[in-house]
Amino acid sequence: MNAAQDLRYPASSIIGPDATTRGLINIGNTCHGSALIFALATVPAVRRWLQNHQHTAIKPPLHGHRCPLCMLARDITQHTDGTTTRPHLPEVLLFRGTWSARLNNDAQQDVHEAFQCLMDRCDDTDATALATLPQYRGEPPQLFRQSAVRASTPYNQIFGNLQRVTAKCTACNTTRAQYERAHAHCLSLAKQEQQDLDLLLTEHLGKRALR
């Protein structure tokens, strides 16, 4: 199962280079959002995801003009066009209340929280489109959220970091496994020894392939 293929997002679509020459207009303590747009614009896989979404997005009424994926795609297209140095007003930040009520103010914000809120909404947009496809229509929402196809959306393919959590009932001996998004990992590091981070992560997460 591959959500990107089901959404008709071609993996081999051609994307333009990162020709970033423009700044972003601060609309009131939106430095966190500007930093986020700058960072996302440098990731080719993100630009491909946004470009594919723009070309294949489901049309209204299921797909609104304030779709976070579409707004971010329009912003990054302007940001990386390379034809002007004039700063532009980022639409996805101007309408940030559509993807995060917590960030819809002029207070200082954490860029990691902004990243996770925006990416969660973008991922939910793809999941909503998936749920309307004939092969998934009628599937219970809870089962769909925990399915392998739900874990193969473009967001999860780009940023990954899913973990397989297994729970076993001691009364009936039933085992249940599901995939959860891991936001952080805690690793023990010995003070006196040189550590290999790749090895530590492998030991911590294991090598079992996601199914």
Side-chain angles (χ1 to χ4, degrees):
M1 295 182 177
N2 188 312
Q5 292 179 0
D6 290 339
L7 290 167
R8 305 190 305 281
Y9 290 174
S12 59
S13 57
I14 299 174
I15 58 171
D18 173 14
T20 301
T21 57
R22 306 185 69 177
L24 298 172
I25 298 173
N26 191 311
I27 53 177
N29 270 336
T30 54
C31 304
H32 63 285
S34 297
L36 180 57
I37 292 173
F38 267 96
L40 291 174
T42 66
V43 183
V46 170
R47 297 205 306 276
R48 178 175 289 109
W49 173 24
L50 298 174
Q51 176 180 284
N52 286 339
H53 177 78
Q54 278 189 305
H55 292 168
T56 62
I58 296 175
K59 302 304 180 186
L62 292 178
H63 195 86
H65 183 65
R66 297 303 174 203
C67 158
L69 272 171
C70 288
M71 289 192 293
L72 183 60
R74 289 191 288 266
D75 283 337
I76 288 185
T77 297
Q78 290 190 64
H79 188 58
T80 60
D81 67 2
T83 62
T84 179
T85 59
R86 183 180 179 182
H88 71 98
L89 180 65
E91 182 183 3
V92 75
L93 298 183
L94 185 62
F95 296 99
R96 59 194 179 279
T98 62
W99 50 270
S100 176
R102 293 199 305 272
L103 303 180
N104 192 27
N105 52 61
D106 292 335
Q108 292 186 340
Q109 304 291 348
D110 178 73
V111 68
H112 178 265
E113 181 182 5
F115 166 78
Q116 203 57 65
C117 288
L118 178 56
M119 291 295 100
D120 282 347
R121 283 301 309 275
C122 288
D123 192 43
D124 287 344
T125 298
D126 278 340
T128 300
L130 276 173
T132 67
L133 299 178
Q135 61 267 45
Y136 305 116
R137 196 174 298 147
E139 189 169 345
Q142 184 65 20
L143 292 179
F144 178 72
R145 282 195 295 271
Q146 298 172 2
S147 66
V149 68
R150 181 65 181 84
S152 66
T153 55
Y155 167 77
N156 286 306
Q157 289 188 26
I158 297 169
F159 296 103
N161 209 25
L162 288 179
Q163 61 184 4
R164 188 173 187 267
V165 179
T166 303
K168 185 175 183 179
C169 176
T170 56
C172 64
N173 206 34
T174 300
T175 300
R176 180 181 179 184
Q178 67 183 43
Y179 297 106
E180 295 180 354
R181 187 175 298 159
H183 293 284
H185 292 291
C186 296
L187 303 175
S188 298
L189 302 176
K191 293 183 179 180
Q192 305 302 324
E193 300 178 13
Q194 185 173 356
Q195 303 293 322
D196 185 313
L197 185 57
D198 289 339
L199 180 59
L200 286 171
L201 287 172
T202 300
E203 292 176 349
H204 179 71
L205 299 173
K207 291 186 174 181
R208 176 181 292 183
L210 294 177
R211 298 181 182 275

